[in-house]
Amino acid sequence: MPTVSIPRKEQIETAATDLFKSRGYAATSMRHIASKVGIEAASIYSHLKSKEHILIKICFKMAKEFIEGIKLVQKTNVTSEAKFKAAVISHVNIITGDIAASAVFWNEWRHLSEPLLSEFVAMQREYEQAFKLIIEQGVNEGVFEVRDISFTVMAMLSSLNGIQKWHNYTLPPEELNEAFATFFAQGIRKQVEE
Amino acid sequence: MPTVSIPRKEQIETAATDLFKSRGYAATSMRHIASKVGIEAASIYSHLKSKEHILIKICFKMAKEFIEGIKLVQKTNVTSEAKFKAAVISHVNIITGDIAASAVFWNEWRHLSEPLLSEFVAMQREYEQAFKLIIEQGVNEGVFEVRDISFTVMAMLSSLNGIQKWHNYTLPPEELNEAFATFFAQGIRKQVEE
DNA sequence: CCTACCGATCGGTAGG
DNA sequence: CCTACCGATCGGTAGG
């Protein structure tokens, strides 16, 4: 039974992603990546154009996944609370689906150079905006109540994107979903009396 | 009226903190720091031992502030909800008090080397533990209800420590306090009926 | 995919 | 606080 070997290009990208997460992009050298794969640094350039191109691929792959996820949620025809929870769950699933890439996406994007840097930031804003709209809908329907929508979105996204730093995964991914969705939904639910 | 000049050592530390925040520790060179202060790189060593010593000072200064803050809260004799809110407010105040140092504290500590690295991590754990105890108290008194205390603490701290990345400070610091305290307290408050 | 190598830059020291 | 400099390491290329 011959095992299907992983393409070298993918091996390099995976090794780089792990190293970018643990050491940071700037502190990771092409020699570190090559050594992890078992080849020489110069050989990487047979498969990939540059160190930054690896970073670009990781960052934009994740950004696209997040945006795609929330667009799917927007199209569904459910209550605003269900939509909100679905958006949170989508986000958690993408992160737990690739923790290393999520860490690079969140911590290393500043090392992108123009014009891709601006393009990346624009995608982040687009994503935040989509989240805002979902919350706004709930506010208009009287099920949510927030002090400031921008605050709420930033607080939530910081929390979710912080998962990649947790030393302590007490909950399995499926439960993490629900825990976040409930925690946040309750945090913005309109209080009947206080 | 002679202006009191800021000591060169402090100037260097401030410049370094800002650069560590914006470029990251690894991507910041002693020449960058020196240039920002207006001296030569070699001159920094008349004031400071090494690049890592600057990082050490920033990280431990912040860690101590956080621990000191929550210890003060623990000593107060108020309801568990008030104590919880005070702990959140203490955290927000420390961050907004020095955003750049907070960013370095949260994003760059992995560049510390042993044995200080382990010491730093132990301080983070101590802080998390203090937060857990406050929540536990509220759970035992029947005012809070959480799925998992570790989850709650990690989710909250990720959110709070994420403030330094916000591009969007919609709320002034005093309101940020209250917004966080209310958002989280509501997120863990025991629900009468659902 | 390798060997051999490039110019640039790094943290830090010597000596004043 | 500066000039001059050290060995190490960097991202990347030439040529096979």
Side-chain angles (χ1 to χ4, degrees):
Chain A
M1 267 204 308
T3 41
V4 179
S5 65
I6 299 160
R8 183 98 316 164
K9 189 177 174 183
E10 259 178 63
Q11 286 181 39
I12 295 167
E13 285 167 349
T14 305
T17 306
D18 288 346
L19 287 166
F20 289 172
K21 171 177 164 33
S22 58
R23 306 179 53 108
Y25 175 76
T28 300
S29 71
M30 295 306 258
R31 284 155 181 86
H32 288 134
I33 300 168
S35 153
K36 192 160 185 178
V37 174
I39 58 178
E40 292 300 318
S43 307
I44 293 179
Y45 295 90
S46 314
H47 303 278
L48 292 155
K49 226 184 275 187
S50 71
K51 189 182 160 188
E52 195 182 342
H53 269 79
I54 308 176
L55 180 67
I56 292 167
K57 190 162 178 185
I58 300 165
C59 288
F60 280 87
K61 190 195 113 205
M62 296 309 290
K64 279 171 196 158
E65 274 187 51
F66 285 122
I67 288 174
E68 215 168 279
I70 206 159
K71 277 190 176 162
L72 278 174
V73 170
Q74 276 175 329
K75 278 189 222 152
T76 59
N77 197 7
V78 294
T79 65
S80 42
E81 175 149 356
K83 205 178 270 189
F84 173 78
K85 284 193 177 184
V88 171
I89 288 171
S90 162
H91 197 104
V92 175
N93 282 341
I94 292 164
I95 290 178
T96 53
D98 194 339
I99 296 266
S102 300
V104 176
F105 162 83
W106 189 240
N107 301 317
E108 309 299 331
W109 61 266
R110 61 178 161 189
H111 294 108
L112 293 169
S113 50
E114 295 292 1
L116 287 175
L117 178 61
S118 294
E119 201 182 306
F120 178 84
V121 171
M123 287 176 81
Q124 283 191 319
R125 299 287 170 279
E126 184 187 345
Y127 186 67
E128 289 161 16
Q129 193 53 39
F131 244 110
K132 272 191 208 174
L133 283 174
I134 290 174
I135 294 171
E136 228 157 37
Q137 191 188 328
V139 170
N140 292 338
E141 291 175 6
V143 291
F144 292 156
E145 188 173 37
V146 298
R147 186 181 294 247
D148 182 287
I149 293 188
S150 287
F151 161 80
T152 307
V153 170
M154 298 308 277
M156 278 182 32
L157 291 182
S158 292
S159 189
L160 292 168
N161 288 322
I163 295 172
Q164 39 88 16
K165 291 209 186 211
W166 293 11
H167 57 92
N168 208 4
Y169 297 94
T170 45
L171 300 176
E174 325 88 57
E175 285 186 46
L176 201 59
N177 281 339
E178 267 308 313
F180 264 116
T182 307
F183 181 48
F184 290 150
Q186 204 170 302
I188 64 175
R189 189 173 298 148
K190 189 165 181 177
Q191 303 292 293
V192 185
E193 52 177 350
E194 175 123 22
Chain B
M1 265 200 316
T3 41
V4 179
S5 64
I6 298 160
R8 183 105 302 168
K9 189 176 174 182
E10 260 178 62
Q11 287 181 39
I12 296 167
E13 285 167 349
T14 305
T17 306
D18 288 346
L19 287 165
F20 290 172
K21 170 177 164 36
S22 57
R23 305 179 55 107
Y25 176 77
T28 300
S29 71
M30 294 307 258
R31 285 156 181 85
H32 288 134
I33 300 167
S35 153
K36 192 161 185 179
V37 174
I39 57 177
E40 293 299 319
S43 306
I44 293 178
Y45 294 89
S46 312
H47 303 279
L48 293 155
K49 226 184 272 185
S50 70
K51 189 181 161 189
E52 195 183 342
H53 269 79
I54 308 176
L55 180 66
I56 292 167
K57 190 163 176 183
I58 300 165
C59 288
F60 281 87
K61 189 195 113 201
M62 297 309 291
K64 278 171 196 160
E65 274 187 50
F66 285 122
I67 288 173
E68 213 168 283
I70 205 159
K71 278 191 175 163
L72 277 174
V73 171
Q74 276 174 329
K75 278 187 222 155
T76 59
N77 197 8
V78 293
T79 66
S80 42
E81 176 150 355
K83 205 178 270 188
F84 173 77
K85 284 193 175 183
V88 171
I89 289 171
S90 161
H91 197 105
V92 175
N93 282 341
I94 292 164
I95 289 177
T96 53
D98 194 339
I99 297 266
S102 299
V104 176
F105 162 83
W106 189 239
N107 302 316
E108 309 299 331
W109 61 265
R110 61 178 159 191
H111 295 106
L112 293 170
S113 52
E114 296 291 2
L116 286 176
L117 178 61
S118 294
E119 201 181 307
F120 179 84
V121 172
M123 286 176 82
Q124 283 191 317
R125 300 286 170 279
E126 184 187 345
Y127 186 66
E128 289 160 16
Q129 193 54 39
F131 246 109
K132 273 191 207 171
L133 283 174
I134 290 174
I135 295 171
E136 227 157 39
Q137 190 188 329
V139 170
N140 291 338
E141 291 175 7
V143 291
F144 292 155
E145 187 171 39
V146 297
R147 187 181 294 249
D148 183 286
I149 293 189
S150 287
F151 160 81
T152 307
V153 170
M154 297 308 276
M156 278 182 31
L157 291 182
S158 293
S159 189
L160 293 168
N161 288 322
I163 295 173
Q164 38 88 16
K165 290 207 186 214
W166 294 11
H167 56 92
N168 209 4
Y169 296 95
T170 47
L171 301 175
E174 324 87 57
E175 285 185 47
L176 201 61
N177 281 339
E178 267 309 313
F180 264 115
T182 307
F183 181 48
F184 290 149
Q186 204 169 301
I188 64 176
R189 189 174 298 147
K190 188 165 181 177
Q191 304 290 293
V192 186
E193 52 179 349
E194 175 123 19

